[in-house]
Amino acid sequence: MSATSSLISLWSSFRFILTLSVLVRIALIVYSEWHDARSIVKYTDVDYRVFSDAAKYILHPGPGNTNTAAGSFRVRAIGDPYTRETYRYTPLLALLLTPNEWLHPSFGKYLFAACDIINGIIIYKLLISVILPRPTHPEHKKPPSSDHTVSQNARQATICSAIHLLNPMVFSISTRGSSESILSLFVLTTLYAALTRRWNIAAVGLGISVHWKIYPFVYGFSCLAVLRKAGGKKVVNGKSQGGGVLGYISSFVNWETLKFGVLSVGTFGILTGGCYLIWGYPFLYETYLYHLNRRDHRHNFSPYFYLTYLTYPSLKSSEGLPSTALPWQTMLHSSLTSFVPQMFLTIGTGFLFGGREDDFPFTWFIQTVVFVVFNKVCTSQYFLWYLLLLPLILPRLNISKTTATIYVAVWVGVQALWLGEAYKLEFLGQNTFYGLWIRGLIYVAGNCWVLGGIMRGYKSDMIS
């Protein structure tokens, strides 16, 4: 019995979970080097090779690889990462990975894994210091806690943070060489600052996050929904007093919202403007404009892919639709059409649920799930964007174990259903595009049903 108690105590220790997480990641990175040297099918993701090549081009400018033709601010010692085809990220990522070239080829993997670990620490700190201790008034002073309550909170925080640290999807993606953990670090830092009312830091963090990848801009709307309460008009239960719609809109115009907007947009502008001066239009197009106009006809979880596949320009007709096309045909053919429902739902949920900073983890989780589910391109890697926030909302979910099991089964099941059909297309060469599209619709329906259940089960003032 004592041995069992000791084992339970060990597993409830955050230090043990953290140590185990570090060892797992180091072992997988070492294994990846051994595996890649001996196997045709590589453990390392192709994106990591893209990052490494871009870093090499940054360090070694030369014939066919110069940045002088693109940017107006010419730096002879810095090359052009966009010489590497399919590199569609900020050049700051390539700069971060330059040690891949002069230190060790797996430096980037260790960096991504380290960000994973830091993210787990931030999640634990958020849980133990902000989310689990319930505030007694707006100043966030902690209520008196007994040793038992403190121990219980620490145990719960450890379990929730372990869901991130020991998640196979999380550590396999980072050790294979995906850079998502860096963006996750920026997002969590921004969230930590917002939850602790360090709004200037939150604004800067949001600007950095949006520069790194576009989607975190949606979090700014929930921040504005909280900051508008500091305006001249009194806000009660999320509603501005007087003025109707105009009153609601005017409540967003105050010193706090303006300062937050200027800092976040300014940070984004400084980083983006600096990169544009050095790398010019290729940076602007590959990092941002490409994703806005992207027409990805390859199969992915999004049901939009089938429409894109059917309307994708053929080799014989590279221009796409003829000039005589009807307006509705032009609208359906446009790659921007999918943004309408996605932005309406994502921004709307930000305003709807963003009334209290205590609810930021829940609001950001909802916004991210909606963004991913309704995105015109969706792969398994995108799931990490909202799985990152899941441990932070678990303590406030009033959901039975049976219901939680059903939700997990549905979430996994709709993916398995899709993957089974995708296998027939990808590996067996069968024409299953229509069946894959139907399963894509089931994927959307299943995820929306699970999300609805989470929304119903969330209790803002409840800690289980």
Side-chain angles (χ1 to χ4, degrees):
M1 187 66 180
S2 59
T4 303
S5 300
S6 299
L7 188 60
I8 294 174
S9 177
L10 183 64
W11 274 98
S12 62
S13 165
F14 180 69
R15 183 174 297 180
F16 172 76
I17 296 297
L18 200 62
T19 302
L20 181 61
S21 302
V22 171
L23 293 176
V24 166
R25 284 162 173 80
I26 292 175
L28 284 174
I29 294 172
V30 172
Y31 167 77
S32 72
E33 297 174 358
W34 179 88
H35 177 94
D36 290 351
R38 292 165 174 79
S39 176
I40 298 177
V41 180
K42 307 299 182 184
Y43 177 88
T44 301
D45 191 86
V46 66
D47 282 347
Y48 189 73
R49 293 196 289 274
V50 173
F51 301 155
S52 299
D53 289 346
K56 178 179 67 177
Y57 288 130
I58 284 272
L59 283 177
H60 304 295
N65 172 36
T66 63
N67 67 317
T68 54
S72 57
F73 184 72
R74 302 181 180 182
V75 182
R76 294 180 181 274
I78 299 179
D80 183 7
Y82 302 103
T83 302
R84 178 40 159 111
E85 294 182 4
T86 73
Y87 182 77
R88 298 190 173 97
Y89 310 87
T90 172
L92 301 183
L93 174 60
L95 283 172
L96 274 180
L97 296 190
T98 51
N100 278 13
E101 189 70 11
W102 54 265
L103 182 60
H104 194 279
S106 292
F107 168 82
K109 293 181 182 179
Y110 286 105
L111 175 64
F112 302 153
C115 289
D116 258 354
I117 299 299
I118 296 172
N119 291 337
I121 295 173
I122 295 176
I123 289 172
Y124 180 81
K125 293 294 184 182
L126 275 172
L127 287 163
I128 204 71
S129 63
V130 179
I131 295 174
L132 291 173
R134 297 303 301 147
T136 54
H137 54 74
E139 295 302 320
H140 287 274
K141 291 183 179 179
K142 298 178 185 178
S145 300
S146 64
D147 292 340
H148 174 72
T149 302
V150 172
S151 176
Q152 189 177 31
N153 286 350
R155 188 179 300 109
Q156 190 172 6
T158 299
I159 293 171
C160 289
S161 57
I163 292 175
H164 168 80
L165 288 169
L166 298 180
N167 186 333
M169 181 178 288
V170 173
F171 62 65
S172 64
I173 285 180
S174 63
T175 56
R176 291 185 65 214
S178 170
S179 64
E180 294 298 335
S181 59
I182 295 181
L183 175 63
S184 298
L185 177 59
F186 294 147
V187 169
L188 282 178
T189 302
T190 304
L191 178 61
Y192 192 97
L195 284 171
T196 54
R197 297 186 173 184
R198 296 177 172 91
W199 289 109
N200 292 343
I201 298 176
V204 172
L206 183 63
I208 296 173
S209 300
V210 177
H211 169 80
W212 203 265
K213 191 159 286 186
I214 297 174
Y215 89 87
F217 86 92
V218 301
Y219 302 145
F221 296 101
S222 57
C223 292
L224 293 176
V226 168
L227 289 172
R228 76 187 182 96
K229 293 182 178 181
K233 290 185 178 293
K234 188 177 181 181
V235 179
V236 178
N237 295 327
K239 297 181 179 179
S240 178
Q241 300 301 295
V245 176
L246 291 178
Y248 177 79
I249 295 174
S250 65
S251 68
F252 285 93
V253 182
N254 61 72
W255 170 244
E256 295 299 326
T257 57
L258 289 176
K259 183 173 64 172
F260 182 86
V262 169
L263 280 174
S264 57
V265 174
T267 301
F268 171 81
I270 290 172
L271 292 174
T272 303
C275 290
Y276 179 77
L277 286 176
I278 297 175
W279 289 283
Y281 182 76
F283 149 72
L284 204 60
Y285 175 79
E286 297 291 354
T287 307
Y288 303 114
L289 300 181
Y290 168 80
H291 298 284
L292 293 176
N293 297 298
R294 180 178 180 180
R295 290 180 55 79
D296 196 334
H297 65 290
R298 294 170 296 178
H299 58 283
N300 60 83
F301 284 100
S302 172
Y304 288 115
F305 98 89
Y306 190 54
L307 177 62
T308 305
Y309 172 75
L310 293 177
T311 59
Y312 200 77
S314 64
L315 293 176
K316 296 181 180 179
S317 178
S318 59
E319 298 84 5
L321 287 178
S323 57
T324 56
L326 298 174
W328 68 268
Q329 292 176 313
T330 304
M331 182 183 69
L332 289 177
H333 190 267
S334 173
S335 60
L336 300 178
T337 300
S338 63
F339 286 117
V340 176
Q342 182 188 39
M343 290 298 101
F344 177 80
L345 292 170
T346 307
I347 295 174
T349 52
F351 286 132
L352 181 63
F353 298 114
R356 301 168 62 240
E357 58 262 42
D358 281 351
D359 294 329
F360 273 153
F362 171 72
T363 305
W364 290 19
F365 175 82
I366 297 298
Q367 288 183 285
T368 312
V369 173
V370 170
F371 188 95
V372 170
V373 170
F374 289 92
N375 199 35
K376 62 181 178 180
V377 178
C378 180
T379 64
S380 298
Q381 191 168 296
Y382 295 1
F383 300 161
L384 293 182
W385 297 352
Y386 58 79
L387 289 177
L388 174 74
L389 301 167
L390 181 61
L392 298 174
I393 69 171
L394 287 178
R396 296 185 185 174
L397 290 183
N398 186 18
I399 297 175
S400 67
K401 292 181 180 179
T402 301
T403 303
T405 302
I406 293 173
Y407 288 162
V408 172
V410 170
W411 184 75
V412 173
V414 293
Q415 294 176 49
L417 185 68
W418 184 93
L419 289 169
E421 197 74 357
Y423 174 82
K424 297 177 184 177
L425 174 65
E426 184 73 18
F427 294 98
L428 303 182
Q430 299 178 10
N431 185 358
T432 60
F433 280 99
Y434 181 75
L436 203 56
W437 174 62
I438 295 297
R439 284 158 176 76
L441 294 176
I442 296 174
Y443 157 81
V444 171
N447 276 265
C448 288
W449 182 77
V450 172
L451 182 62
I454 292 175
M455 292 167 66
R456 288 190 299 271
Y458 179 77
K459 304 299 179 185
S460 179
D461 297 319
M462 186 275 297
I463 293 293
S464 57

